[in-house]
Amino acid sequence: MSGIIKSSIARKVSMGLSALFLLIFLLQHLIVNFSSVLSAEMFNEFSHFMGTNPLVQFVLQPILIFGVVFHFVMGFILEIRNNRARDVKYVQYKGSANSSWMSRNMIYSGIVILAFLGLHFYDFWFPEIGYKYIHFLPEDPNRYYGELVEKFHDPIRVILYCLAFVFLALHLLHGFSSSFQSVGFNNKYSPAVHKTGKVYAILIPLGFVFIALFHYFNSL
Amino acid sequence: MNLTLKIWRQKNADAKGGMETYKVENISPDSSFLEMLDILNDQLINEGKEPVAFDHDCREGICGMCSLQINGQPHGPGRGITTCQLHMRKFRDGDTIYIEPFRAKAFPVIKDLVVDRTSFDRIQHAGGYISVNTSGNTQDANAIPIEKHNADKAFDAATCIGCGACVAACKNASAMLFTSAKVSQFALLPQGRVEATERVLNMVKQMDLEGFGNCSNTGACELECPKGISLENIARMNREYLKASVK
Ligand code: HEM
Ligand code: SF4
Ligand code: FES
């Protein structure tokens, strides 16, 4: 870890790798969650598998937690170091003349996502861990859909979720193609990566927004 | 043209500086930005005041000496130009123009608008060269065939004039564009491959030691670079660095 913190390029590449990993996770997460819109049985089946499969629970889940924690901790480290690299600020700095708002504010879109993750863990992950590994309640393969739908009765929660997804979109509008550049991928395919990135950054958060709204309006 | 100038004044490296306001009148739209500053300095000298210190040398866009953050952008408005190539017709009569030194911890202010860019020289010294036998039996470089595509890319990278606009533009004051250009101009040529491993490791190490920031891929450097050095070079430097690290 100290080696990664010492070299600017090691920091950059590791940030890019953790981000690419999160991009894959996010796609997977959307697919599983979207099944809840299609059918309760399918969602229960997916969730039961993910929730009880030892590979998912004890290998992939810890990797994911590490990936998320690494990503935001490195995000803060970079932010602090980058601030220090310009100790006297400009009186006039026209960032908009040469870069996008998203690219200059990754830390802020990231902090909103982090706050959302707090809420999201409180909603789903902590109860799940409590259910399985603290209270050792008997597994009911059909409990998941009900637990999900119940959460989206609350309009405040739905609004907070949707707001967070807007910031996720902003984060990814720059982040997707940026992570490729970070790991050294810049070649004739890069224009295609850029376009895919824009589509991904809009469609994935939109998918999550749709799921949240779907369950809210379904519960009315 | 009549203009109001807000200029950063600082007596020396240790002094606390600040913005000062000046007025210049009857500036020709055809004069260059540096000529406009010359006129201001004549005016100040005639008034018995200290002229504004600023860097310049060739005044034709090839030396990289002129700097200046003008209205929040390195080398002012316009793409692909240095400050000496900027003309007053880019501004409007009555404008207020902010003129500041390039800002980075690794570019400390020496006086007024003059900054110390020797950190770039130290990055160069750390590996931005090839070792050649100069005893008289040096091999003709043209004897080694080089693929046109690579020769072109190496040449593009080599057009970097070390001006520092990339650092000045970057929100993180990162020197990755400059360093990557200096790595790439050799990495792409067979003559450069011999010392490629140590070159990239040493140059990046020096870049970090100087206190430049990290790269967030905002792309500001590429757009503000007077020579249009591409972000491709940063990706290449990252690959070179990874390759060198596992060797
Ligand atoms: C599922 C959640 C997230 C995803 C999918 C995601 C994705 C990404 C991607 C793709 C990048 C570009 C990486 C690169 O340029 O190499 C990135 C950068 C960044 N992320 Fe995230 N991110 C997430 C959560 C967060 C959180 C919670 C934070 C908390 C602060 C954060 C902070 C940052 C920062 C500061 C950067 C910019 C790094 C730089 O300057 O190079 N991200 N993220
Ligand atoms: S990369 Fe461009 S902006 Fe940076 S020092 Fe070289 S010429 Fe100047
Ligand atoms: S003075 Fe030489 S590039 Fe401007």
Side-chain angles (χ1 to χ4, degrees), chain A residues 98-209:
Chain A
N98 47 39
S99 57
S100 70
W101 186 91
M102 284 75 84
S103 72
R104 280 176 281 125
N105 293 284
M106 290 301 272
I107 190 67
Y108 299 109
S109 52
I111 286 173
V112 174
I113 301 171
L114 187 61
F116 163 78
L117 286 180
L119 173 66
H120 193 50
F121 271 49
Y122 168 81
D123 281 349
F124 293 102
W125 199 69
F126 294 136
E128 190 61 22
I129 293 297
Y131 189 103
K132 282 189 304 216
Y133 304 123
I134 295 172
H135 304 302
F136 295 104
L137 296 175
E139 172 62 5
D140 167 9
N142 296 318
R143 68 189 166 90
Y144 299 98
Y145 187 77
E147 290 171 359
L148 171 78
V149 167
E150 184 219 304
K151 290 283 186 294
F152 290 102
H153 284 326
D154 180 1
I156 305 281
R157 179 178 279 111
V158 173
I159 289 171
L160 288 179
Y161 270 55
C162 292
L163 212 62
F165 295 138
V166 172
F167 281 87
L168 178 63
L170 293 173
H171 200 71
L172 298 180
L173 274 171
H174 172 69
F176 189 99
S177 54
S178 176
S179 56
F180 282 81
Q181 166 79 8
S182 288
V183 297
F185 186 93
N186 184 327
N187 52 39
K188 65 175 191 246
Y189 301 109
S190 294
V193 169
H194 269 266
K195 281 198 201 97
T196 312
K198 302 284 174 256
V199 173
Y200 181 105
I202 303 287
L203 282 191
I204 300 276
L206 207 61
F208 283 116
V209 167

Side-chain angles (χ1 to χ4, degrees), chain B residues 97-230:
Chain B
I97 307 176
Y98 283 80
I99 311 171
E100 296 174 71
F102 281 179
R103 291 282 186 207
K105 186 157 163 266
F107 286 171
V109 172
I110 299 172
K111 184 177 181 181
D112 296 340
L113 302 170
V114 178
V115 297
D116 179 354
R117 282 170 282 181
T118 50
S119 47
F120 269 14
D121 298 343
R122 289 187 292 273
I123 295 175
Q124 272 291 64
H125 294 168
Y129 53 80
I130 55 168
S131 306
V132 203
N133 181 343
T134 52
S135 60
N137 31 19
T138 314
Q139 190 190 358
D140 182 354
N142 291 320
I144 305 172
I146 297 166
E147 202 190 326
K148 171 95 168 82
H149 178 75
N150 284 348
D152 286 348
K153 296 254 172 198
F155 188 82
D156 286 348
T159 57
C160 163
I161 52 177
C163 63
C166 42
V167 174
C170 177
K171 78 175 182 69
N172 308 331
S174 166
M176 288 234 187
L177 194 66
F178 165 78
T179 310
S180 70
K182 298 302 175 196
V183 165
S184 289
Q185 68 186 29
F186 297 115
L188 287 156
L189 301 178
Q191 292 93 330
R193 291 312 313 170
V194 184
E195 293 153 306
T197 305
E198 311 90 85
R199 174 178 306 113
V200 69
L201 293 177
N202 291 337
M203 288 179 80
V204 169
K205 189 168 156 209
Q206 190 62 36
M207 173 180 83
D208 291 345
L209 277 177
E210 299 291 346
F212 289 105
N214 295 267
C215 172
S216 294
N217 305 322
T218 70
C221 53
E222 180 183 59
L223 283 182
E224 294 295 353
C225 171
K227 302 299 160 186
I229 302 292
S230 160

Side-chain angles (χ1 to χ4, degrees), chain B residues 34 56-66 82-84 161:
Chain B
L34 295 186
H56 58 100
D57 191 10
C58 71
R59 297 213 178 192
E60 53 180 352
I62 55 173
C63 74
M65 201 58 203
C66 57
T82 51
T83 299
C84 58
I161 52 177

